[in-house]
Amino acid sequence: MQLGRLMRILVTNDDGVYSPGIQALAEAAAHFGDVRIVAPDVEQSSMSHAVTATRPLRIRPARVAEFDAFRVNGTPSDCVAVGAHVWGKVDLVFSGINLGLNVGSSMWHSGTLAAAKQALLLGHRGVAFSAPHEGDEINYATIRPYVDRVIKEVLAMKELCLINVNFPMAPRGVRWTHQSVRHYDNRVFPTKDPLGREHFWISPVALEAADEGTDRRAVEDGFVSITPLRLDLTDHAALERVRSDLAAE
Ligand code: MN
């Protein structure tokens, strides 16, 4: 019997290469394949899918436990692009574990999820992992069995996939969910800096509770949320309506 080569799993994040979350994810991933860490040299949270196009990028060694690890002076999606190029062949990209949830509308600005999106754009499966934190800490021991379980479920999927995973503080099961969409008040707090200039803090509050079946609701109820996503943002029902209205004119 010929043994195939091990799966190559690129691990990245948006909290920076020295975040404890990336080491926890790399340790879990190492049970499933060859792991290489390629992550931003400084925090890039909320950078969404920003791509560095006006300056060169460098990839340099980093020290993360015993892992093959590198830091890039760019965004999470830069790390996936450069990391996959340098490694040659990548099968899977794992991003996280982010310090903080990425449910609902935060998917629009999450750098953690953008790294997984970049993976899919390059033809690799991408999985984003996020967890709530107390201070700057995540309770990795509590969520670790569920990280393994999620990885197994994702590996069992045949198709190329983009998956967003969020852990509750203390998981009691797993739910497959859809994205929560809520509206927000536009709460902005004015304040003054030490020189007396006006500044603002954007701090919106949701107007509605999370619906049944959503990622946010699952996490609120103590379940690990797994949401399959797609790259096509088109509102197909609206497109269909407009086209049939135009045809009827
Ligand atoms: Mn982050």
Side-chain angles (χ1 to χ4, degrees):
M1 191 177 80
Q2 226 185 356
L3 288 172
R5 68 169 175 79
L6 276 174
M7 265 194 316
R8 284 189 174 180
I9 307 173
L10 184 77
V11 178
T12 190
N13 72 357
D14 76 358
D15 292 335
V17 71
Y18 299 114
S19 166
I22 201 165
Q23 188 176 327
L25 183 54
E27 283 166 5
H31 289 95
F32 297 90
D34 272 341
V35 167
R36 177 179 284 190
I37 293 174
V38 183
D41 56 359
V42 294
E43 183 169 354
Q44 299 281 332
S45 289
S46 286
M47 290 297 281
S48 187
H49 208 130
V51 173
T52 302
T54 55
R55 61 174 175 81
L57 294 166
R58 290 199 67 201
I59 179 166
R60 287 173 282 189
R63 196 170 299 231
V64 182
E66 76 283 10
F67 292 105
D68 187 23
F70 299 87
R71 59 200 157 99
V72 173
N73 58 336
T75 63
S77 71
D78 292 336
C79 291
V80 174
V82 174
H85 170 79
V86 170
W87 207 2
K89 171 88 179 75
V90 169
D91 300 294
L92 269 164
V93 174
F94 289 169
S95 181
I97 300 170
N98 188 60
L99 273 74
L101 292 173
N102 278 308
V103 292
S105 306
S106 55
M107 286 194 215
W108 287 100
H109 54 83
S110 165
T112 308
L113 178 59
K117 267 160 57 197
Q118 181 66 28
L120 192 62
L121 289 171
L122 298 176
H124 317 304
R125 280 180 286 181
V127 189
F129 298 85
S130 305
H133 58 97
E134 286 178 296
D136 281 336
E137 285 302 324
I138 290 174
N139 190 346
Y140 298 108
T142 310
I143 62 174
R144 176 56 195 276
Y146 289 90
V147 175
D148 291 353
R149 182 168 156 187
V150 167
I151 293 173
K152 282 182 192 144
E153 291 205 23
V154 169
L155 291 180
M157 294 176 76
K158 297 272 188 299
E159 65 274 356
L160 263 189
C161 53
L162 173 61
I163 304 285
N164 189 37
V165 182
N166 284 276
F167 299 96
M169 204 63 93
R172 59 192 182 98
V174 173
R175 292 266 191 273
W176 283 78
T177 60
H178 66 267
Q179 183 183 11
S180 162
V181 177
R182 304 189 296 178
H183 299 91
Y184 295 82
D185 70 350
N186 187 21
R187 197 173 293 184
V188 175
F189 292 98
T191 181
K192 295 257 196 271
D193 78 359
L195 297 177
R197 297 172 297 198
E198 194 169 39
H199 280 202
F200 299 93
W201 287 102
I202 296 176
S203 188
V205 174
L207 297 172
E208 302 115 16
D211 289 333
E212 188 63 48
T214 61
D215 49 5
R216 184 177 297 281
R217 181 66 169 272
V219 170
E220 283 176 4
D221 290 345
F223 292 95
V224 178
S225 164
I226 311 180
T227 310
L229 302 172
R230 60 179 184 182
L231 296 176
D232 182 2
L233 296 177
T234 312
D235 182 341
H236 287 280
L239 179 61
E240 208 54 44
R241 272 198 310 278
V242 174
R243 279 180 173 163
S244 69
D245 288 353
L246 288 173
E249 272 173 17

